[in-house]
Amino acid sequence: MKYLDEFRDPAFAKTLSEKIHTVMTKPWTIMEVCGGQTHSIVKSGLEKLVPSTLSIVHGPGCPVCVTPLDIIEKAVLIASKPNVIFTSFGDMLRVPGNSTDLLHVKAAGGDVRIVYSPLDAVTIAQKNPDKEVVFFAVGFETTAPANAMAVWQAHRNNLKNFSILCSHVLVPPAMEALLSSAQNRVQGFLAAGHVCTVMGYEEYIPLAKKYKVPMVVTGFEPIDILHGTLMLITQLEEGRYEVENQYARMVKREGNVSAQEMIFKVFEITHRKWRGIGEIPQSGYRLKEEFSRYDAENKFDLGLIDVQESPLCIAGEILRGMKKPFECSAFGKECSPEHPLGAPMVSSEGACAAYYNYKRQEVSTI
Amino acid sequence: MTNDISQGLSCPLPIDNYATVVLAHGGGGKLTHQLIEQVFKKHFSNPDLDLMHDGAMVEVNKGRIAISTDSYVVSPISFPGGNIGELAVNGTVNDIAMCGAQPKYLTASFILEEGLRIDELEIIVESMANAAKKAGVLIVTGDTKVVPRGKADKIFITTSGVGMIPEGRNIHPSKINAGDKIIISGTIGDHGMAVMSVREGLEFESEIRSDTCALNGLVEAMYHASSNINFLRDPTRGGVASTMNEIASSSNKGIRLFEQAIPVNGNVRSACEILGFDPLYVANEGKLIAIVSSVDAEKILAVMKQHPFGKDSSIIGEVTNEHPSVVVLQTVIGGERVVDMMSGEQLPRIC
């Protein structure tokens, strides 16, 4: 398949792998920020191709994993209401809230539908004027333009029965939260290619300077990740801490300006709670005042939500790159993709699920 | 028999030439008989069925028989490359063939939703008859029930089948040995993505078509070439990944797959990339996985490639004593990973 096979070429991968081995003279710890990269690394078995002294830790870039429990619980409550069609990306359906998950709400008779685009949810709202249609708007800067567009279209068509349950989060504040933590051990970042496709990478430059940490904006195919890793290791070995762009076929320095305009037409920056990490200032989007009638949290009276995380789950430490999934005592025992205790075991982009699905054999021999 | 109520009868007789299925079609009375005569018998007719007894009484040879049953609830009921009827015949024929048996007889049981158009039903029944003819099996008995509108989705079909196992054929996980080769009979993921692309309204340069077909002919050709066939499975729901895991766990052997050797159609790969599916987990309805002794692997592969339903056959892996019960994939890029059983439901109602 064109534009994909080139980036999965075994001969090229071998060359890059050899170069990484040559360039690297001491152990380094790097983090890939995005869950899509985690998935790709584990799915293609890339860790076999890099030196064993390179520690790749998985970052907080899986939207399913960082969506806080109280928002999941709100989704469950809204989806259980009789006159509601609740729409969501498929991954969110299996995330356990406090009481249950959206799949069980569906089984109990709730109208929960998987959509591939928030605009599909707008269409559903147009076709079902007697129902309240809610879209579960989670994700990073990547999904924000389409979600903003959905609200914008609902607004233009004066749709009164459409709203979003919004839990948008932003990457740079999360990276800063990691870097400023006393326990941080990450020495370099593979920055998230899709987020930068939308937002560009200018906002990462002051971060790299302030914390003296190199960053390489990296794509998602195996060759992209190996190439990004080589660029990052080269910077580390040379003592540089710049922001470089490996994913230049998609990412421009200034990003996608019209997508950004759409985002800021509809959203404004706010504090956000991250599951497993806690509240990070200025780390998310919420709907602007003039669009508040599209905010499901305003539309539905949900009362006070009191939620408790499983005491066994160490999702927070995993999302901050402090521990690997198999260092969790519940991994593969009390917690599995069929019975997840925490969100990283649910999404295919979650570090725990990726380890469970693709690396269990290694884990069992450790 | 039709009553024309336009001819001025003073007492209107009940209508009996409905264009859609009504509850009375499942009531066991006149309308049931009419539906059986005008739709089912019309297409399925054979001496065993035409007896219209409570069950079929058929001849079997001495020896072992294989029995299988399966229900079909696919949505939509028609998709590029087939419909629920063909699927219901081919699916059960294939399950019998995977026992090393020669499928002979099928039963067919229908649950119809009130309001299903009779002409739509007839298209399905006709394609079942064609599929049975192609596979060389007879549909010898059946049943029809009708449920109120909304209590089913158009049509659900259950087929059961019986086949004869010729002397000397023995499909059993205990026969799988380290060193055996794993052959797939063609491209993977076609059926699942054909159904999915209709549901999602995806369009590609050329249509993705379901691979539904009866594999008993291919199995016979393979046995003709060699009896060193140790195991057969058709990787339907859950795809190749789930089937390989089942085999690894029932035989307590390790399985190594080579990603590079696994054939996937270009359009299926594209659709999978777009929708975020892994072709290894997507359903097939016309493919088999054979585990064969390495000495005869090339011979069996050559015969499969000659067959119309096996032309893209490929050796995709081997059995090993290492990592028992675990399936390991050597990735295109040169890495390695575990291939797990599918978790949850990837594509609901795919067959």
Side-chain angles (χ1 to χ4, degrees):
Chain A
M1 205 183 330
K2 217 171 166 206
Y3 307 123
L4 276 182
D5 289 336
E6 300 90 322
F7 297 98
R8 295 173 187 177
D9 178 55
F12 196 18
K14 197 161 168 268
T15 312
L16 285 168
S17 160
E18 283 164 3
K19 278 196 176 158
I20 293 171
H21 279 88
T22 315
V23 168
M24 195 160 142
T25 63
K26 45 189 158 212
W28 295 109
T29 298
I30 64 171
M31 172 182 272
E32 89 284 358
V33 171
C34 176
Q37 293 165 331
T38 307
H39 185 77
S40 184
I41 289 172
V42 186
K43 186 178 174 194
S44 46
L46 279 187
E47 284 180 332
K48 287 229 162 188
L49 300 182
V50 297
S52 56
T53 48
L54 176 66
S55 171
I56 303 180
V57 293
H58 312 304
C62 159
V64 173
C65 304
V66 299
T67 300
L69 197 51
D70 57 312
I71 295 278
I72 310 278
E73 198 57 26
K74 283 176 186 169
V76 164
L77 290 176
I78 294 172
S80 306
K81 290 188 183 287
N83 204 36
V84 166
I85 300 175
F86 194 86
T87 58
S88 170
F89 295 133
D91 269 1
M92 292 308 292
L93 265 55
R94 289 174 48 230
V95 185
N98 218 24
S99 48
T100 182
D101 60 28
L102 287 167
L103 267 189
H104 282 87
V105 172
K106 183 173 158 70
D111 193 345
V112 179
R113 302 185 191 178
I114 295 176
V115 289
Y116 283 91
S117 158
L119 296 176
D120 293 345
V122 176
T123 310
I124 293 172
Q126 283 167 325
K127 285 184 181 160
N128 296 276
D130 53 334
K131 298 265 186 184
E132 278 296 333
V133 176
V134 182
F135 178 71
F136 202 175
V138 297
F140 288 88
E141 293 93 325
T142 330
T143 50
N147 291 351
M149 176 64 98
V151 172
W152 182 248
Q153 288 215 349
H155 174 68
R156 280 213 317 204
N157 294 315
N158 199 21
L159 276 184
K160 293 193 168 56
N161 64 328
F162 177 80
S163 58
I164 63 170
L165 179 60
C166 178
S167 184
H168 264 295
V169 280
L170 305 175
V171 167
M175 282 169 76
E176 175 135 33
L178 288 171
L179 285 167
S180 60
S181 147
Q183 295 137 326
N184 174 53
R185 57 193 187 101
V186 178
Q187 296 163 298
F189 283 99
L190 299 176
H194 288 155
V195 170
C196 294
T197 305
V198 176
M199 302 306 289
Y201 55 86
E202 274 165 0
E203 53 187 330
Y204 296 83
I205 296 168
L207 268 182
K209 265 199 190 128
K210 182 173 171 191
Y211 294 95
K212 298 191 169 42
V213 168
M215 300 180 186
V216 178
V217 178
T218 303
F220 297 84
E221 293 303 318
I223 295 291
D224 288 322
I225 293 170
L226 284 171
H227 188 204
T229 304
L230 175 63
M231 290 167 72
L232 193 58
I233 302 289
T234 309
Q235 283 206 53
L236 285 165
E237 291 284 341
E238 292 173 0
R240 291 186 289 125
Y241 39 87
E242 294 158 21
V243 178
E244 293 178 324
N245 183 12
Q246 181 277 332
Y247 202 31
R249 67 183 187 280
M250 291 302 290
V251 175
K252 289 188 285 192
R253 186 186 170 99
E254 70 281 10
N256 180 338
V257 175
S258 27
Q260 292 165 23
E261 282 168 7
M262 179 48 74
I263 294 176
F264 292 112
K265 218 180 243 178
V266 172
F267 291 122
E268 61 191 11
I269 291 176
T270 182
H271 303 325
R272 272 267 175 238
K273 208 155 85 183
W274 293 53
R275 190 171 190 178
I277 296 178
E279 187 170 282
I280 304 177
Q282 307 291 307
S283 69
Y285 292 137
R286 69 168 170 223
L287 285 167
K288 283 181 168 173
E289 184 58 36
E290 64 256 47
F291 294 98
S292 60
R293 67 181 174 122
Y294 298 103
D295 188 341
E297 289 189 71
N298 289 341
K299 203 170 221 178
F300 299 94
D301 180 19
L302 300 170
L304 263 182
I305 309 264
D306 183 28
V307 287
Q308 291 291 321
E309 291 281 359
S310 160
L312 288 173
C313 180
I314 60 160
E317 287 164 276
I318 288 175
L319 293 172
R320 291 198 296 266
M322 288 158 58
K323 285 199 173 156
K324 291 231 174 185
F326 52 73
E327 293 175 74
C328 171
S329 66
F331 179 84
K333 298 183 189 106
E334 293 92 343
C335 184
S336 68
E338 289 74 37
H339 300 285
L341 293 181
M345 189 53 104
V346 175
S347 163
S348 64
E349 294 186 4
C352 298
Y355 270 61
Y356 187 90
N357 288 332
Y358 299 132
K359 296 188 68 159
R360 221 168 8 139
Q361 176 66 11
E362 283 167 51
V363 171
S364 65
T365 58
I366 283 167
Chain B
M1 182 185 74
T2 47
N3 293 305
D4 189 346
I5 56 170
S6 66
Q7 289 182 355
L9 288 171
S10 57
C11 174
L13 286 173
I15 303 172
D16 65 358
N17 58 345
Y18 289 94
T20 57
V21 171
V22 295
L23 283 174
H25 279 123
K30 254 190 188 170
L31 279 180
T32 305
H33 280 267
Q34 191 190 63
L35 190 70
I36 290 170
E37 287 293 331
Q38 292 179 359
V39 178
F40 295 114
K41 238 175 100 176
K42 175 177 164 192
H43 293 287
F44 293 160
S45 175
N46 62 65
D48 295 312
L49 179 82
D50 295 349
L51 203 59
M52 298 307 267
H53 194 65
D54 282 358
M57 292 155 278
V58 295
E59 295 294 326
V60 291
N61 306 331
K62 248 182 160 177
R64 295 196 303 153
I65 62 168
I67 310 169
S68 185
T69 187
D70 223 330
S71 296
Y72 298 84
V73 297
V74 65
S75 164
I77 58 174
S78 289
F79 41 82
N83 64 34
I84 189 170
E86 279 171 83
L87 214 55
V89 169
N90 293 336
T92 296
V93 163
N94 291 346
D95 285 346
I96 300 280
M98 294 310 114
C99 303
Q102 296 163 337
K104 293 284 180 213
Y105 305 109
L106 293 188
T107 72
S109 184
F110 296 83
I111 293 173
L112 308 177
E113 185 192 16
E114 181 186 22
L116 173 70
R117 292 170 53 92
I118 302 258
D119 56 359
E120 224 177 334
L121 173 65
E122 190 164 354
I123 291 170
I124 290 161
V125 170
E126 193 176 358
S127 39
M128 284 181 82
N130 288 336
K133 200 171 161 195
K134 273 192 213 163
V137 296
L138 294 175
I139 296 169
V140 289
T141 186
D143 184 46
T144 310
K145 297 282 188 322
V146 180
V147 294
R149 203 176 176 113
K151 300 289 178 191
D153 190 0
K154 289 191 170 178
I155 176 168
F156 298 154
I157 306 175
T158 300
T159 51
S160 298
V162 177
M164 310 302 302
I165 306 175
E167 192 88 12
R169 295 187 187 179
N170 187 14
I171 297 292
H172 199 272
S174 65
K175 290 198 64 198
I176 299 172
N177 293 309
D180 284 358
K181 299 290 180 196
I182 300 162
I183 308 178
I184 182 102
S185 65
T187 54
I188 66 167
D190 297 75
H191 175 73
M193 292 328 289
V195 174
M196 202 60 194
S197 55
V198 182
R199 281 195 212 158
E200 293 304 324
L202 291 183
E203 284 178 18
F204 295 89
E205 280 168 15
S206 61
E207 195 176 48
I208 300 178
R209 297 178 69 79
S210 166
D211 57 348
T212 178
C213 68
L215 295 167
N216 51 333
L218 176 63
V219 171
E220 287 311 304
M222 290 163 66
Y223 270 110
H224 198 69
S226 164
S227 56
N228 274 329
I229 297 167
N230 299 331
F231 208 70
L232 290 168
R233 280 292 304 272
D234 60 339
T236 52
R237 273 173 308 168
V240 170
S242 300
T243 303
M244 293 319 303
N245 269 283
E246 283 162 18
I247 296 173
S249 115
S250 63
S251 65
N252 201 29
K253 293 277 192 290
I255 303 253
R256 273 191 86 75
L257 297 177
F258 311 115
E259 192 173 22
Q260 191 100 54
I262 302 173
V264 188
N265 268 327
N267 282 345
V268 171
R269 276 187 70 192
S270 307
C272 283
E273 289 289 341
I274 291 168
L275 296 172
F277 292 127
D278 183 341
L280 277 175
Y281 291 91
V282 180
N284 309 279
E285 287 292 341
K287 296 292 148 43
L288 63 81
I289 288 171
I291 300 189
V292 305
S293 306
S294 62
V295 280
D296 279 355
E298 288 298 334
K299 197 158 102 183
I300 295 169
L301 180 69
V303 167
M304 290 174 76
K305 285 185 164 179
Q306 294 295 315
H307 195 278
F309 297 146
K311 58 182 183 353
D312 295 320
S313 295
S314 165
I315 295 178
I316 59 166
E318 60 197 17
V319 179
T320 164
N321 279 328
E322 289 164 36
H323 51 80
S325 297
V326 174
V327 182
V328 172
L329 178 81
Q330 195 176 312
T331 65
V332 170
I333 209 83
E336 248 180 38
R337 67 164 156 109
V338 171
V339 177
D340 198 14
M341 199 85 157
M342 185 165 75
S343 178
E345 182 78 278
Q346 191 178 27
L347 305 167
R349 289 186 58 198
I350 208 73
C351 62

